[in-house]
Amino acid sequence: MEGYIALAAGLAIGLGSLGPGIGQGIAAKGALEGMARQPEAAGDIRVSMILALAFMEALTIYGLLIAFMLIGKIA
């Protein structure tokens, strides 16, 4: 049973960071392209990008928290 819990913890942090990591890369790419096309809107695009990155990062933190909770069940 402990092996499955450890596997679940690994999957929680692994998949929890993979998706947001890919999403952050795509968001940053889109924002930088937008800033390059419209330099006058760079401030607005930057703020929106930072908010989007923060929300994506929250998903990673939730995955880490779930992994810690699962590891806590083993010990």
Side-chain angles (χ1 to χ4, degrees), residues 2-64:
E2 292 177 354
Y4 289 124
I5 293 174
L7 179 65
L11 287 174
I13 189 62
L15 295 176
S17 60
L18 179 68
I22 292 171
Q24 285 179 344
I26 292 170
K29 175 186 169 261
L32 291 175
E33 285 178 357
M35 284 187 226
R37 287 188 195 145
Q38 295 179 338
E40 66 274 3
D44 294 335
I45 294 171
R46 184 177 305 119
V47 170
S48 298
M49 180 186 72
I50 290 171
L51 283 174
L53 293 179
F55 289 132
M56 286 184 240
E57 193 65 31
L59 294 175
T60 302
I61 293 170
Y62 290 146
L64 180 65

